[in-house]
Amino acid sequence: MNSISPVILKRSRRLYIIEAALEHLISVLVTGSFLATLTKELGFSDSLTGIMSSVISLGCLFQLLSLSVRRKHKKSFVLTLSVLNQLLFFLLYVVPLTGFKERTKITLFFVLIFFAYFLYNFAHPKKISWLMSLVDDRQRGRFTANKEAVSLLSGMVFSFCMGCVIDHLAAGGKMRIAFAVAGSVIFVLMLLHSLTMILTAEISSEELSAKSLTGILPELTGNKKLLRVVVIFVLYHISTYISVPFYGTYQINELGLDLKFITSAAIGGSVARIFASGFWGRYADKRSFAAMIEKCFIFLGLSQLCVTAAVPSNGMVMFVLYSIINGIAQGGINSALTNLVFDHVPVEKRADSLAVTQALAGLAGFIATVCISPVVSYIQNNSNRILGLPIYAQQFVAVLAFVFTLSAIFYTRFSFIRK
């Protein structure tokens, strides 16, 4: 870091925080209930929407392709792919406005979101390696907590406002205008996001010489400590992707909640996440990221139990509780996962190791969603009953998610903390 003045480094870290916030705002409009609103308009079933959401997880596989890309300067590479990725997100809101047939729209939507996440994940390891190199290793926990807090604060205001706008336009039968507004917002955010990356400094680093994918993977997978981190990634991703992709349609269809309420509940979760992230960051710097993620998983499991109890008569209450408790969990999970990788590999292998762990976890998450989707359809087509018991499909997948979260808690305890 000595090659860059402290003033420029400080400014770049602030720009990194702004960049993360802007990227988060774009992600708000292409995930969760906003994605469910889009897919509902296009005629997607609940199971198909779940598979669509899991494309996000499958996209992590493309991080493996980045292993063979060796660049002394990562900035231009990351910036180019970021712009292309966000342009494809913008086009997702253009699809419903076209005059194509429904089947063509669905196919085009799949293609766009697939390539959007392909580009995002191809650049992601290099991006994190570049931007996190600006942060002192001794302050990673606190910095990531502050960065997340800013993203969440801006995200909760943004999601509530966009939810109100889309609900208002939808109530007036103006869904085409609603989609046009959302698409325009993504385009403006893309321009601002690109500007922050252009102005952020880069510390040039000599990466390892280029290797083939088959040459890199054995080297990384031979690291037993890294493999233990991979198991945590996999358990968490399975728990997430057999459940969360179906929550958006559950809230809108079965529980009859509108976007205004859903975003309001999400705000409650974001507030909880902001307060929790500061605590988790200090806790991790003092104890360890393994100890932190174990505690986060406990809250994650509690939030999943809230969904198992959610029915139309109490759906509002249960999803508010889910949002708040899940917010506490998410205040530390993503930071802990990334930093667990960084804790167990040398600096020059961080980008590669992060790519491998996220790719394997992403594949596991995608397979989990594909396997559970027929079960969701079966329960729904069977009048929301399984083995003769009345249960909504989303309640059932929440139970399964809780089982995997419980496994992650025990694995973390015995594989990291006790050792």
Side-chain angles (χ1 to χ4, degrees):
M1 291 189 184
N2 295 331
S3 59
I4 300 178
S5 73
V7 174
I8 294 177
L9 270 177
K10 186 176 182 180
R11 185 194 70 186
S12 294
R13 285 193 289 268
R14 288 176 177 172
L15 286 168
Y16 178 18
I17 291 173
I18 297 171
E19 177 275 332
L22 292 169
E23 185 175 74
H24 176 66
L25 299 187
I26 293 174
S27 73
V28 164
L29 291 176
V30 293
T31 55
S33 54
F34 288 95
L35 178 63
T37 301
L38 264 174
T39 56
K40 181 181 179 181
E41 182 72 15
L42 292 172
F44 281 59
S45 65
D46 284 7
S47 59
L48 190 57
T49 298
I51 293 174
M52 166 69 69
S53 299
S54 70
V55 169
I56 300 171
S57 175
L58 180 65
C60 294
L61 273 177
F62 301 125
Q63 293 191 20
L64 291 176
L65 299 178
S66 73
L67 298 184
S68 58
V69 178
R70 301 290 166 175
R71 288 174 173 266
K72 183 176 181 180
H73 299 286
K74 306 178 183 72
K75 182 174 174 177
S76 59
F77 171 78
V78 172
L79 177 61
T80 301
L81 294 190
S82 177
V83 171
L84 293 174
N85 146 246
Q86 291 167 5
L87 278 174
L88 293 178
F89 281 148
F90 158 73
L91 290 175
L92 292 179
Y93 279 92
V94 175
V95 171
L97 307 179
T98 63
F100 299 133
K101 295 180 180 179
E102 182 178 290
R103 184 179 296 274
T104 304
K105 288 183 179 180
I106 290 175
T107 302
L108 181 58
F109 198 86
F110 258 110
V111 171
L112 289 174
I113 202 167
F114 177 85
F115 280 104
Y117 280 106
F118 166 78
L119 294 172
Y120 172 83
N121 286 285
F122 190 65
H124 186 69
K126 305 299 181 187
K127 174 189 168 186
I128 296 299
S129 179
W130 158 36
L131 295 175
M132 286 301 290
S133 70
L134 304 169
V135 182
D136 190 312
D137 277 350
R138 295 167 296 182
Q139 298 179 346
R140 278 191 278 125
R142 277 166 286 185
F143 177 83
T144 50
N146 292 335
K147 174 170 67 71
E148 189 165 84
V150 172
S151 293
L152 291 170
L153 276 171
S154 56
M156 66 184 187
V157 175
F158 176 78
S159 61
F160 180 77
C161 292
M162 289 301 300
C164 289
V165 169
I166 292 178
D167 276 342
H168 174 73
L169 292 171
K174 300 176 181 178
M175 282 306 299
R176 292 177 63 85
I177 296 177
F179 291 147
V181 169
S184 300
V185 169
I186 289 179
F187 190 82
V188 172
L189 290 172
M190 178 197 72
L191 297 178
L192 295 174
H193 178 262
S194 300
L195 182 61
T196 61
M197 298 182 82
I198 291 170
L199 297 176
T200 300
E202 179 182 18
I203 300 172
S204 51
S205 59
E206 295 291 347
E207 286 196 336
L208 303 174
S209 57
K211 296 180 181 180
S212 66
L213 187 60
T214 54
I216 296 170
L217 284 177
E219 182 181 341
L220 294 177
T221 54
N223 182 336
K224 292 183 179 179
K225 291 181 179 179
L226 180 62
L227 288 179
R228 292 207 302 270
V229 177
V230 169
V231 174
I232 295 180
F233 266 78
V234 168
L235 289 173
Y236 170 67
H237 273 66
I238 292 176
S239 174
T240 298
Y241 282 95
I242 62 174
S243 56
V244 176
F246 305 99
Y247 289 170
T249 56
Y250 188 45
Q251 294 176 82
I252 292 172
N253 297 333
E254 285 84 353
L255 301 184
L257 307 178
D258 58 29
L259 280 176
K260 186 176 180 180
F261 172 80
I262 293 171
T263 54
S264 297
I267 287 175
S270 296
V271 171
R273 186 170 175 174
I274 289 167
F275 283 106
S277 63
F279 168 78
W280 291 132
R282 292 189 296 271
Y283 183 85
D285 287 339
K286 183 178 180 180
R287 298 288 297 276
S288 71
F289 285 103
M292 180 181 88
I293 202 168
E294 181 199 33
K295 306 302 184 297
C296 291
F297 282 156
I298 292 173
F299 282 98
L300 179 64
L302 291 174
S303 73
Q304 290 161 343
L305 290 178
C306 290
V307 180
T308 66
V311 292
S313 61
N314 66 8
M316 296 179 73
V317 174
M318 285 300 141
F319 264 93
V320 167
L321 289 174
Y322 163 78
S323 295
I324 293 173
I325 299 173
N326 187 64
I328 295 173
Q330 297 300 333
I333 288 177
N334 291 329
S335 169
L337 289 173
T338 300
N339 282 293
L340 273 175
V341 174
F342 286 9
D343 281 347
H344 291 89
V345 295
V347 174
E348 67 274 11
K349 293 184 180 180
R350 283 179 175 176
D352 290 347
S353 300
L354 189 62
V356 169
T357 52
Q358 292 189 331
L360 294 176
L363 177 60
F366 178 76
I367 292 174
T369 304
V370 171
C371 290
I372 203 66
S373 290
V375 178
V376 170
S377 295
Y378 170 78
I379 296 173
Q380 291 178 332
N381 294 334
N382 197 37
S383 302
N384 292 314
R385 302 183 74 87
I386 185 169
L387 300 177
L389 299 174
I391 186 172
Y392 285 102
Q394 289 85 348
Q395 290 177 295
F396 178 74
V397 297
V399 171
L400 292 182
F402 175 75
V403 172
F404 279 99
T405 298
L406 205 59
S407 301
I409 292 170
F410 284 113
Y411 182 82
T412 304
R413 164 63 55 176
F414 291 104
S415 294
F416 284 88
I417 297 174
R418 286 199 172 184
K419 288 189 177 184

